[in-house]
Amino acid sequence: MQKTSDFANGGVSFWFRDVGLPAKRAPLPGPIDVDVAIVGAGLTGLWTAYYLAQASPDLKIAIVEKEFAGYGASGRNGGWLSGEPAGQFRRYAKTHGADSAKRLQRNMFDTIDEVISVASGEDIDADIVKDGLIHVATNAAQLQRLTHHVDHLRTQGWGADDLFLLTPSELGERVQVAGARGGFWTPHCARIHPAKFMIGLAAAVERLGVTIYEDTAADSISAGTVTTGRGTVTARYVVQALEGYTDSIAGQRRKLMPMNSSMIVTEPLSPSVWAEIGWSGAELVGDSGHSFAYSQRTADGRIALGGRGVPYNFASSFAADGSTAHKAVGQLMEKLQAMFPAVAGSSVQHTWSGVLGVPRDWCAAVNFDRRTGIANAGGYVGHGLTGTNLAARTLRDLILGDDTELTRLPWVGRHARRWEVEPIRWIGASALYAAYRHADRRETHSPRPETAITAKIADTISGR
């Protein structure tokens, strides 16, 4: 891979570099009184405001945001509007039964079309194409694991029309991934341009009468009150929607682990390179490695690829400028070229990083305490583009007091224990991903599937 003089490391994301950073909205002017105060103008916050304002136009709703709408994971992700679960089926089934967990899964599928419908209705042009998702196995161990995963998904309610195993030749008709042994395709995924979508959704929310205050950091949240450096917001209901930035609120340091995810994007690839790769559709493509890589073909003919890189920094810190560690950039470039050798002569033009919020049980949750009026949602473990919409519609029903199918989903009222104190948390997270990388290396160079035992031990220790 080559770097060019316009190579950028950091900033919010290539997505915002592509469309330009928006002008910041005005900050909170001082103390205000509203019906609903939402902390965080990412997807969870914006969707919650959108559905509440639609359902009850008389509500006075305000959003406070430290930076600008879409600054966090909502504007930095890989653009996968995926129907994969935002949590672990077995854990939802353990607390609420298998049928309830299956309903959550079906709602995730349906939510993809809900997002696409809103984008169409609100005239949001975000390069959305629903061509599905491919997971590919590139060695014997990955193929065995992928096959077992498909079997598990079948027991979790994925029917004949939800999932299709692909032989190497069938996979090659969609995309040529080096060393592919097979894979599966699901129609339940759409490509999306995160920044275009965030800008469009924020504008739609404002058209409904919601006020977004940017450059306004929340310091603490309590019943009926959001305290900021620019004034206090008093509200009947407070919605916390901070995902990976949850630890910025007093008393919530160990609630969610802010896990880094990093991305690179190539220059626009030539027609000859695309012909060699054979990726003519808008399918999203992920591998079956333990450390996992996710990619999309952008609307302007680039490959954007992401992975965990350096997944966790000591004491939940992360690079405020969005920069990616040099080591992680190298790992992502190696992964890109390993999957798509034809890009070897092309340049990488941008790398960036963001954080997602990971609960201790690796399961997303939606909560509302009617006594205090405080609601929150998050912990989507990488499936927030879809999960945020479903969570927001659930919060709407909970806040408005409606008893619906959504309010009975198994992630409602879920509370995970807190993450361990430092340095245990940092040692554990670092060892976890070191084990995954070790397992991936072993699997790449060995024909024996049982080399994945290292990763299985890591899964057990981490609780994944």
Side-chain angles (χ1 to χ4, degrees), residues 402-434:
D402 297 331
D403 182 12
T404 67
E405 177 186 353
L406 300 186
T407 63
R408 295 189 294 273
L409 291 175
W411 63 358
V412 174
R414 186 174 190 88
H415 298 276
R417 67 183 176 91
R418 292 178 178 261
W419 284 93
E420 289 77 4
V421 297
E422 297 289 17
I424 298 173
R425 184 164 70 249
W426 177 78
I427 293 171
S430 300
L432 169 68
Y433 278 90

PDB file of all heavy atoms in Angstrom, residues 402-434:
ATOM      1  N   ASP A 402     -46.657   3.941  26.847  1.00  0.00           N
ATOM      2  CA  ASP A 402     -47.369   3.002  25.989  1.00  0.00           C
ATOM      3  C   ASP A 402     -46.828   1.585  26.187  1.00  0.00           C
ATOM      4  O   ASP A 402     -45.611   1.367  26.174  1.00  0.00           O
ATOM      5  CB  ASP A 402     -47.218   3.401  24.524  1.00  0.00           C
ATOM      6  CG  ASP A 402     -47.836   4.752  24.221  1.00  0.00           C
ATOM      7  OD1 ASP A 402     -48.802   5.117  24.917  1.00  0.00           O
ATOM      8  OD2 ASP A 402     -47.356   5.441  23.300  1.00  0.00           O
ATOM      9  N   ASP A 403     -47.735   0.646  26.364  1.00  0.00           N
ATOM     10  CA  ASP A 403     -47.361  -0.769  26.490  1.00  0.00           C
ATOM     11  C   ASP A 403     -47.396  -1.374  25.099  1.00  0.00           C
ATOM     12  O   ASP A 403     -48.462  -1.609  24.526  1.00  0.00           O
ATOM     13  CB  ASP A 403     -48.339  -1.491  27.418  1.00  0.00           C
ATOM     14  CG  ASP A 403     -47.968  -2.967  27.620  1.00  0.00           C
ATOM     15  OD1 ASP A 403     -46.853  -3.352  27.224  1.00  0.00           O
ATOM     16  OD2 ASP A 403     -48.809  -3.718  28.140  1.00  0.00           O
ATOM     17  N   THR A 404     -46.230  -1.607  24.503  1.00  0.00           N
ATOM     18  CA  THR A 404     -46.139  -2.093  23.133  1.00  0.00           C
ATOM     19  C   THR A 404     -45.220  -3.305  23.065  1.00  0.00           C
ATOM     20  O   THR A 404     -44.562  -3.665  24.047  1.00  0.00           O
ATOM     21  CB  THR A 404     -45.591  -1.003  22.200  1.00  0.00           C
ATOM     22  OG1 THR A 404     -44.212  -0.746  22.542  1.00  0.00           O
ATOM     23  CG2 THR A 404     -46.391   0.288  22.329  1.00  0.00           C
ATOM     24  N   GLU A 405     -45.151  -3.892  21.883  1.00  0.00           N
ATOM     25  CA  GLU A 405     -44.221  -5.002  21.681  1.00  0.00           C
ATOM     26  C   GLU A 405     -42.790  -4.564  21.970  1.00  0.00           C
ATOM     27  O   GLU A 405     -41.993  -5.318  22.538  1.00  0.00           O
ATOM     28  CB  GLU A 405     -44.310  -5.524  20.242  1.00  0.00           C
ATOM     29  CG  GLU A 405     -43.317  -6.647  19.945  1.00  0.00           C
ATOM     30  CD  GLU A 405     -43.293  -7.071  18.490  1.00  0.00           C
ATOM     31  OE1 GLU A 405     -44.139  -6.590  17.708  1.00  0.00           O
ATOM     32  OE2 GLU A 405     -42.424  -7.879  18.133  1.00  0.00           O
ATOM     33  N   LEU A 406     -42.469  -3.324  21.613  1.00  0.00           N
ATOM     34  CA  LEU A 406     -41.107  -2.836  21.811  1.00  0.00           C
ATOM     35  C   LEU A 406     -40.754  -2.738  23.286  1.00  0.00           C
ATOM     36  O   LEU A 406     -39.624  -3.044  23.682  1.00  0.00           O
ATOM     37  CB  LEU A 406     -40.924  -1.478  21.142  1.00  0.00           C
ATOM     38  CG  LEU A 406     -41.150  -1.418  19.623  1.00  0.00           C
ATOM     39  CD1 LEU A 406     -40.787  -0.035  19.094  1.00  0.00           C
ATOM     40  CD2 LEU A 406     -40.374  -2.498  18.898  1.00  0.00           C
ATOM     41  N   THR A 407     -41.684  -2.310  24.116  1.00  0.00           N
ATOM     42  CA  THR A 407     -41.379  -2.155  25.543  1.00  0.00           C
ATOM     43  C   THR A 407     -41.240  -3.501  26.248  1.00  0.00           C
ATOM     44  O   THR A 407     -40.804  -3.546  27.393  1.00  0.00           O
ATOM     45  CB  THR A 407     -42.450  -1.320  26.254  1.00  0.00           C
ATOM     46  OG1 THR A 407     -43.713  -1.997  26.189  1.00  0.00           O
ATOM     47  CG2 THR A 407     -42.569   0.056  25.632  1.00  0.00           C
ATOM     48  N   ARG A 408     -41.596  -4.578  25.561  1.00  0.00           N
ATOM     49  CA  ARG A 408     -41.457  -5.918  26.149  1.00  0.00           C
ATOM     50  C   ARG A 408     -40.269  -6.690  25.577  1.00  0.00           C
ATOM     51  O   ARG A 408     -40.100  -7.875  25.870  1.00  0.00           O
ATOM     52  CB  ARG A 408     -42.754  -6.709  25.943  1.00  0.00           C
ATOM     53  CG  ARG A 408     -43.953  -6.121  26.685  1.00  0.00           C
ATOM     54  CD  ARG A 408     -45.160  -7.048  26.632  1.00  0.00           C
ATOM     55  NE  ARG A 408     -45.674  -7.197  25.278  1.00  0.00           N
ATOM     56  CZ  ARG A 408     -46.573  -6.385  24.714  1.00  0.00           C
ATOM     57  NH1 ARG A 408     -47.047  -5.347  25.398  1.00  0.00           N
ATOM     58  NH2 ARG A 408     -47.000  -6.586  23.489  1.00  0.00           N
ATOM     59  N   LEU A 409     -39.458  -6.037  24.772  1.00  0.00           N
ATOM     60  CA  LEU A 409     -38.274  -6.697  24.230  1.00  0.00           C
ATOM     61  C   LEU A 409     -37.266  -6.967  25.353  1.00  0.00           C
ATOM     62  O   LEU A 409     -37.221  -6.238  26.344  1.00  0.00           O
ATOM     63  CB  LEU A 409     -37.638  -5.835  23.136  1.00  0.00           C
ATOM     64  CG  LEU A 409     -38.457  -5.700  21.841  1.00  0.00           C
ATOM     65  CD1 LEU A 409     -37.780  -4.732  20.875  1.00  0.00           C
ATOM     66  CD2 LEU A 409     -38.673  -7.066  21.172  1.00  0.00           C
ATOM     67  N   PRO A 410     -36.429  -7.991  25.203  1.00  0.00           N
ATOM     68  CA  PRO A 410     -35.597  -8.434  26.326  1.00  0.00           C
ATOM     69  C   PRO A 410     -34.452  -7.508  26.699  1.00  0.00           C
ATOM     70  O   PRO A 410     -33.807  -7.726  27.722  1.00  0.00           O
ATOM     71  CB  PRO A 410     -35.062  -9.793  25.844  1.00  0.00           C
ATOM     72  CG  PRO A 410     -35.084  -9.709  24.354  1.00  0.00           C
ATOM     73  CD  PRO A 410     -36.306  -8.891  24.034  1.00  0.00           C
ATOM     74  N   TRP A 411     -34.185  -6.474  25.908  1.00  0.00           N
ATOM     75  CA  TRP A 411     -33.133  -5.551  26.330  1.00  0.00           C
ATOM     76  C   TRP A 411     -33.674  -4.430  27.204  1.00  0.00           C
ATOM     77  O   TRP A 411     -32.916  -3.621  27.737  1.00  0.00           O
ATOM     78  CB  TRP A 411     -32.360  -4.999  25.135  1.00  0.00           C
ATOM     79  CG  TRP A 411     -33.119  -4.169  24.124  1.00  0.00           C
ATOM     80  CD1 TRP A 411     -34.457  -3.868  24.103  1.00  0.00           C
ATOM     81  CD2 TRP A 411     -32.557  -3.528  22.979  1.00  0.00           C
ATOM     82  NE1 TRP A 411     -34.758  -3.081  23.013  1.00  0.00           N
ATOM     83  CE2 TRP A 411     -33.609  -2.865  22.297  1.00  0.00           C
ATOM     84  CE3 TRP A 411     -31.270  -3.451  22.440  1.00  0.00           C
ATOM     85  CZ2 TRP A 411     -33.413  -2.137  21.130  1.00  0.00           C
ATOM     86  CZ3 TRP A 411     -31.077  -2.730  21.278  1.00  0.00           C
ATOM     87  CH2 TRP A 411     -32.137  -2.087  20.639  1.00  0.00           C
ATOM     88  N   VAL A 412     -34.993  -4.361  27.389  1.00  0.00           N
ATOM     89  CA  VAL A 412     -35.601  -3.338  28.242  1.00  0.00           C
ATOM     90  C   VAL A 412     -35.407  -3.720  29.712  1.00  0.00           C
ATOM     91  O   VAL A 412     -35.680  -4.851  30.120  1.00  0.00           O
ATOM     92  CB  VAL A 412     -37.101  -3.181  27.927  1.00  0.00           C
ATOM     93  CG1 VAL A 412     -37.760  -2.218  28.920  1.00  0.00           C
ATOM     94  CG2 VAL A 412     -37.296  -2.689  26.498  1.00  0.00           C
ATOM     95  N   GLY A 413     -34.915  -2.775  30.495  1.00  0.00           N
ATOM     96  CA  GLY A 413     -34.703  -3.036  31.916  1.00  0.00           C
ATOM     97  C   GLY A 413     -33.480  -3.869  32.218  1.00  0.00           C
ATOM     98  O   GLY A 413     -33.355  -4.407  33.321  1.00  0.00           O
ATOM     99  N   ARG A 414     -32.561  -3.950  31.268  1.00  0.00           N
ATOM    100  CA  ARG A 414     -31.368  -4.778  31.452  1.00  0.00           C
ATOM    101  C   ARG A 414     -30.249  -3.948  32.086  1.00  0.00           C
ATOM    102  O   ARG A 414     -29.963  -2.830  31.665  1.00  0.00           O
ATOM    103  CB  ARG A 414     -30.900  -5.340  30.109  1.00  0.00           C
ATOM    104  CG  ARG A 414     -29.763  -6.328  30.250  1.00  0.00           C
ATOM    105  CD  ARG A 414     -29.395  -6.998  28.944  1.00  0.00           C
ATOM    106  NE  ARG A 414     -28.479  -8.086  29.213  1.00  0.00           N
ATOM    107  CZ  ARG A 414     -28.827  -9.324  29.498  1.00  0.00           C
ATOM    108  NH1 ARG A 414     -30.114  -9.638  29.525  1.00  0.00           N
ATOM    109  NH2 ARG A 414     -27.943 -10.256  29.768  1.00  0.00           N
ATOM    110  N   HIS A 415     -29.613  -4.505  33.110  1.00  0.00           N
ATOM    111  CA  HIS A 415     -28.507  -3.828  33.788  1.00  0.00           C
ATOM    112  C   HIS A 415     -27.338  -4.797  33.930  1.00  0.00           C
ATOM    113  O   HIS A 415     -27.481  -5.885  34.499  1.00  0.00           O
ATOM    114  CB  HIS A 415     -28.931  -3.328  35.169  1.00  0.00           C
ATOM    115  CG  HIS A 415     -30.032  -2.317  35.124  1.00  0.00           C
ATOM    116  ND1 HIS A 415     -29.807  -0.979  34.921  1.00  0.00           N
ATOM    117  CD2 HIS A 415     -31.387  -2.467  35.246  1.00  0.00           C
ATOM    118  CE1 HIS A 415     -30.959  -0.332  34.924  1.00  0.00           C
ATOM    119  NE2 HIS A 415     -31.938  -1.203  35.118  1.00  0.00           N
ATOM    120  N   ALA A 416     -26.197  -4.407  33.406  1.00  0.00           N
ATOM    121  CA  ALA A 416     -24.988  -5.231  33.523  1.00  0.00           C
ATOM    122  C   ALA A 416     -24.129  -4.712  34.666  1.00  0.00           C
ATOM    123  O   ALA A 416     -24.184  -3.527  35.019  1.00  0.00           O
ATOM    124  CB  ALA A 416     -24.194  -5.188  32.224  1.00  0.00           C
ATOM    125  N   ARG A 417     -23.354  -5.595  35.247  1.00  0.00           N
ATOM    126  CA  ARG A 417     -22.432  -5.144  36.280  1.00  0.00           C
ATOM    127  C   ARG A 417     -21.356  -4.264  35.659  1.00  0.00           C
ATOM    128  O   ARG A 417     -21.126  -4.286  34.449  1.00  0.00           O
ATOM    129  CB  ARG A 417     -21.793  -6.337  37.000  1.00  0.00           C
ATOM    130  CG  ARG A 417     -20.850  -7.194  36.171  1.00  0.00           C
ATOM    131  CD  ARG A 417     -20.350  -8.370  37.012  1.00  0.00           C
ATOM    132  NE  ARG A 417     -19.510  -9.299  36.265  1.00  0.00           N
ATOM    133  CZ  ARG A 417     -18.193  -9.194  36.183  1.00  0.00           C
ATOM    134  NH1 ARG A 417     -17.558  -8.186  36.780  1.00  0.00           N
ATOM    135  NH2 ARG A 417     -17.482 -10.091  35.512  1.00  0.00           N
ATOM    136  N   ARG A 418     -20.700  -3.485  36.482  1.00  0.00           N
ATOM    137  CA  ARG A 418     -19.693  -2.559  35.986  1.00  0.00           C
ATOM    138  C   ARG A 418     -18.394  -3.281  35.639  1.00  0.00           C
ATOM    139  O   ARG A 418     -18.108  -4.364  36.142  1.00  0.00           O
ATOM    140  CB  ARG A 418     -19.419  -1.461  37.025  1.00  0.00           C
ATOM    141  CG  ARG A 418     -20.613  -0.521  37.210  1.00  0.00           C
ATOM    142  CD  ARG A 418     -20.349   0.529  38.261  1.00  0.00           C
ATOM    143  NE  ARG A 418     -21.497   1.426  38.377  1.00  0.00           N
ATOM    144  CZ  ARG A 418     -21.577   2.620  37.805  1.00  0.00           C
ATOM    145  NH1 ARG A 418     -20.555   3.071  37.101  1.00  0.00           N
ATOM    146  NH2 ARG A 418     -22.647   3.370  37.950  1.00  0.00           N
ATOM    147  N   TRP A 419     -17.624  -2.632  34.777  1.00  0.00           N
ATOM    148  CA  TRP A 419     -16.315  -3.172  34.416  1.00  0.00           C
ATOM    149  C   TRP A 419     -15.364  -3.082  35.612  1.00  0.00           C
ATOM    150  O   TRP A 419     -15.552  -2.269  36.524  1.00  0.00           O
ATOM    151  CB  TRP A 419     -15.730  -2.396  33.236  1.00  0.00           C
ATOM    152  CG  TRP A 419     -16.367  -2.756  31.921  1.00  0.00           C
ATOM    153  CD1 TRP A 419     -17.416  -2.130  31.325  1.00  0.00           C
ATOM    154  CD2 TRP A 419     -15.990  -3.840  31.076  1.00  0.00           C
ATOM    155  NE1 TRP A 419     -17.724  -2.756  30.135  1.00  0.00           N
ATOM    156  CE2 TRP A 419     -16.867  -3.801  29.959  1.00  0.00           C
ATOM    157  CE3 TRP A 419     -15.005  -4.828  31.119  1.00  0.00           C
ATOM    158  CZ2 TRP A 419     -16.791  -4.719  28.913  1.00  0.00           C
ATOM    159  CZ3 TRP A 419     -14.923  -5.742  30.083  1.00  0.00           C
ATOM    160  CH2 TRP A 419     -15.800  -5.692  28.995  1.00  0.00           C
ATOM    161  N   GLU A 420     -14.342  -3.915  35.577  1.00  0.00           N
ATOM    162  CA  GLU A 420     -13.362  -3.961  36.662  1.00  0.00           C
ATOM    163  C   GLU A 420     -12.594  -2.636  36.759  1.00  0.00           C
ATOM    164  O   GLU A 420     -12.522  -1.857  35.811  1.00  0.00           O
ATOM    165  CB  GLU A 420     -12.370  -5.108  36.418  1.00  0.00           C
ATOM    166  CG  GLU A 420     -12.960  -6.501  36.611  1.00  0.00           C
ATOM    167  CD  GLU A 420     -13.832  -6.969  35.458  1.00  0.00           C
ATOM    168  OE1 GLU A 420     -13.936  -6.258  34.441  1.00  0.00           O
ATOM    169  OE2 GLU A 420     -14.430  -8.056  35.559  1.00  0.00           O
ATOM    170  N   VAL A 421     -11.998  -2.409  37.905  1.00  0.00           N
ATOM    171  CA  VAL A 421     -11.181  -1.207  38.110  1.00  0.00           C
ATOM    172  C   VAL A 421      -9.854  -1.368  37.375  1.00  0.00           C
ATOM    173  O   VAL A 421      -9.439  -2.474  37.025  1.00  0.00           O
ATOM    174  CB  VAL A 421     -10.929  -0.965  39.615  1.00  0.00           C
ATOM    175  CG1 VAL A 421     -12.233  -0.716  40.349  1.00  0.00           C
ATOM    176  CG2 VAL A 421     -10.180  -2.148  40.246  1.00  0.00           C
ATOM    177  N   GLU A 422      -9.181  -0.238  37.163  1.00  0.00           N
ATOM    178  CA  GLU A 422      -7.839  -0.277  36.591  1.00  0.00           C
ATOM    179  C   GLU A 422      -6.825  -0.692  37.653  1.00  0.00           C
ATOM    180  O   GLU A 422      -7.045  -0.420  38.841  1.00  0.00           O
ATOM    181  CB  GLU A 422      -7.461   1.100  36.018  1.00  0.00           C
ATOM    182  CG  GLU A 422      -8.337   1.551  34.874  1.00  0.00           C
ATOM    183  CD  GLU A 422      -8.104   0.750  33.586  1.00  0.00           C
ATOM    184  OE1 GLU A 422      -7.513  -0.353  33.648  1.00  0.00           O
ATOM    185  OE2 GLU A 422      -8.550   1.216  32.533  1.00  0.00           O
ATOM    186  N   PRO A 423      -5.735  -1.378  37.289  1.00  0.00           N
ATOM    187  CA  PRO A 423      -5.348  -1.706  35.911  1.00  0.00           C
ATOM    188  C   PRO A 423      -5.937  -3.024  35.404  1.00  0.00           C
ATOM    189  O   PRO A 423      -5.569  -3.472  34.320  1.00  0.00           O
ATOM    190  CB  PRO A 423      -3.826  -1.793  36.004  1.00  0.00           C
ATOM    191  CG  PRO A 423      -3.599  -2.383  37.376  1.00  0.00           C
ATOM    192  CD  PRO A 423      -4.665  -1.764  38.252  1.00  0.00           C
ATOM    193  N   ILE A 424      -6.822  -3.643  36.199  1.00  0.00           N
ATOM    194  CA  ILE A 424      -7.366  -4.941  35.786  1.00  0.00           C
ATOM    195  C   ILE A 424      -8.073  -4.826  34.442  1.00  0.00           C
ATOM    196  O   ILE A 424      -7.929  -5.694  33.570  1.00  0.00           O
ATOM    197  CB  ILE A 424      -8.323  -5.487  36.866  1.00  0.00           C
ATOM    198  CG1 ILE A 424      -7.575  -5.719  38.180  1.00  0.00           C
ATOM    199  CG2 ILE A 424      -8.990  -6.764  36.386  1.00  0.00           C
ATOM    200  CD1 ILE A 424      -8.477  -6.086  39.338  1.00  0.00           C
ATOM    201  N   ARG A 425      -8.834  -3.752  34.256  1.00  0.00           N
ATOM    202  CA  ARG A 425      -9.600  -3.584  33.016  1.00  0.00           C
ATOM    203  C   ARG A 425      -8.654  -3.493  31.812  1.00  0.00           C
ATOM    204  O   ARG A 425      -8.861  -4.142  30.791  1.00  0.00           O
ATOM    205  CB  ARG A 425     -10.474  -2.337  33.121  1.00  0.00           C
ATOM    206  CG  ARG A 425     -11.376  -2.122  31.924  1.00  0.00           C
ATOM    207  CD  ARG A 425     -12.476  -1.117  32.231  1.00  0.00           C
ATOM    208  NE  ARG A 425     -12.012   0.253  32.381  1.00  0.00           N
ATOM    209  CZ  ARG A 425     -12.000   0.908  33.537  1.00  0.00           C
ATOM    210  NH1 ARG A 425     -12.404   0.331  34.654  1.00  0.00           N
ATOM    211  NH2 ARG A 425     -11.586   2.162  33.598  1.00  0.00           N
ATOM    212  N   TRP A 426      -7.607  -2.685  31.935  1.00  0.00           N
ATOM    213  CA  TRP A 426      -6.673  -2.509  30.828  1.00  0.00           C
ATOM    214  C   TRP A 426      -5.903  -3.796  30.548  1.00  0.00           C
ATOM    215  O   TRP A 426      -5.746  -4.199  29.384  1.00  0.00           O
ATOM    216  CB  TRP A 426      -5.694  -1.375  31.145  1.00  0.00           C
ATOM    217  CG  TRP A 426      -4.659  -1.191  30.077  1.00  0.00           C
ATOM    218  CD1 TRP A 426      -4.805  -0.562  28.872  1.00  0.00           C
ATOM    219  CD2 TRP A 426      -3.312  -1.671  30.119  1.00  0.00           C
ATOM    220  NE1 TRP A 426      -3.639  -0.623  28.158  1.00  0.00           N
ATOM    221  CE2 TRP A 426      -2.703  -1.291  28.899  1.00  0.00           C
ATOM    222  CE3 TRP A 426      -2.555  -2.375  31.058  1.00  0.00           C
ATOM    223  CZ2 TRP A 426      -1.365  -1.594  28.595  1.00  0.00           C
ATOM    224  CZ3 TRP A 426      -1.238  -2.673  30.775  1.00  0.00           C
ATOM    225  CH2 TRP A 426      -0.648  -2.289  29.558  1.00  0.00           C
ATOM    226  N   ILE A 427      -5.457  -4.469  31.594  1.00  0.00           N
ATOM    227  CA  ILE A 427      -4.724  -5.736  31.406  1.00  0.00           C
ATOM    228  C   ILE A 427      -5.626  -6.756  30.720  1.00  0.00           C
ATOM    229  O   ILE A 427      -5.219  -7.443  29.776  1.00  0.00           O
ATOM    230  CB  ILE A 427      -4.214  -6.273  32.759  1.00  0.00           C
ATOM    231  CG1 ILE A 427      -3.140  -5.346  33.325  1.00  0.00           C
ATOM    232  CG2 ILE A 427      -3.678  -7.694  32.608  1.00  0.00           C
ATOM    233  CD1 ILE A 427      -2.734  -5.685  34.751  1.00  0.00           C
ATOM    234  N   GLY A 428      -6.875  -6.852  31.184  1.00  0.00           N
ATOM    235  CA  GLY A 428      -7.792  -7.827  30.614  1.00  0.00           C
ATOM    236  C   GLY A 428      -8.107  -7.541  29.160  1.00  0.00           C
ATOM    237  O   GLY A 428      -8.087  -8.451  28.313  1.00  0.00           O
ATOM    238  N   ALA A 429      -8.413  -6.273  28.828  1.00  0.00           N
ATOM    239  CA  ALA A 429      -8.755  -5.921  27.445  1.00  0.00           C
ATOM    240  C   ALA A 429      -7.555  -6.112  26.525  1.00  0.00           C
ATOM    241  O   ALA A 429      -7.687  -6.616  25.402  1.00  0.00           O
ATOM    242  CB  ALA A 429      -9.247  -4.481  27.381  1.00  0.00           C
ATOM    243  N   SER A 430      -6.380  -5.729  26.990  1.00  0.00           N
ATOM    244  CA  SER A 430      -5.177  -5.886  26.171  1.00  0.00           C
ATOM    245  C   SER A 430      -4.873  -7.358  25.920  1.00  0.00           C
ATOM    246  O   SER A 430      -4.545  -7.761  24.798  1.00  0.00           O
ATOM    247  CB  SER A 430      -3.987  -5.203  26.854  1.00  0.00           C
ATOM    248  OG  SER A 430      -4.226  -3.827  27.028  1.00  0.00           O
ATOM    249  N   ALA A 431      -4.992  -8.168  26.976  1.00  0.00           N
ATOM    250  CA  ALA A 431      -4.732  -9.607  26.830  1.00  0.00           C
ATOM    251  C   ALA A 431      -5.773 -10.258  25.924  1.00  0.00           C
ATOM    252  O   ALA A 431      -5.455 -11.154  25.130  1.00  0.00           O
ATOM    253  CB  ALA A 431      -4.733 -10.273  28.201  1.00  0.00           C
ATOM    254  N   LEU A 432      -7.013  -9.803  26.037  1.00  0.00           N
ATOM    255  CA  LEU A 432      -8.097 -10.357  25.224  1.00  0.00           C
ATOM    256  C   LEU A 432      -7.787 -10.218  23.740  1.00  0.00           C
ATOM    257  O   LEU A 432      -7.824 -11.207  22.981  1.00  0.00           O
ATOM    258  CB  LEU A 432      -9.397  -9.636  25.568  1.00  0.00           C
ATOM    259  CG  LEU A 432     -10.605  -9.865  24.657  1.00  0.00           C
ATOM    260  CD1 LEU A 432     -11.092 -11.298  24.788  1.00  0.00           C
ATOM    261  CD2 LEU A 432     -11.714  -8.872  24.982  1.00  0.00           C
ATOM    262  N   TYR A 433      -7.458  -9.007  23.307  1.00  0.00           N
ATOM    263  CA  TYR A 433      -7.235  -8.805  21.877  1.00  0.00           C
ATOM    264  C   TYR A 433      -5.872  -9.320  21.424  1.00  0.00           C
ATOM    265  O   TYR A 433      -5.704  -9.672  20.254  1.00  0.00           O
ATOM    266  CB  TYR A 433      -7.467  -7.343  21.508  1.00  0.00           C
ATOM    267  CG  TYR A 433      -8.948  -7.105  21.326  1.00  0.00           C
ATOM    268  CD1 TYR A 433      -9.747  -6.719  22.391  1.00  0.00           C
ATOM    269  CD2 TYR A 433      -9.562  -7.361  20.108  1.00  0.00           C
ATOM    270  CE1 TYR A 433     -11.116  -6.560  22.243  1.00  0.00           C
ATOM    271  CE2 TYR A 433     -10.922  -7.207  19.941  1.00  0.00           C
ATOM    272  CZ  TYR A 433     -11.700  -6.811  21.015  1.00  0.00           C
ATOM    273  OH  TYR A 433     -13.049  -6.684  20.862  1.00  0.00           O
ATOM    274  N   ALA A 434      -4.915  -9.412  22.332  1.00  0.00           N
ATOM    275  CA  ALA A 434      -3.658 -10.087  21.995  1.00  0.00           C
ATOM    276  C   ALA A 434      -3.926 -11.563  21.710  1.00  0.00           C
ATOM    277  O   ALA A 434      -3.355 -12.148  20.779  1.00  0.00           O
ATOM    278  CB  ALA A 434      -2.649  -9.927  23.127  1.00  0.00           C
TER     279      ALA A 434
END
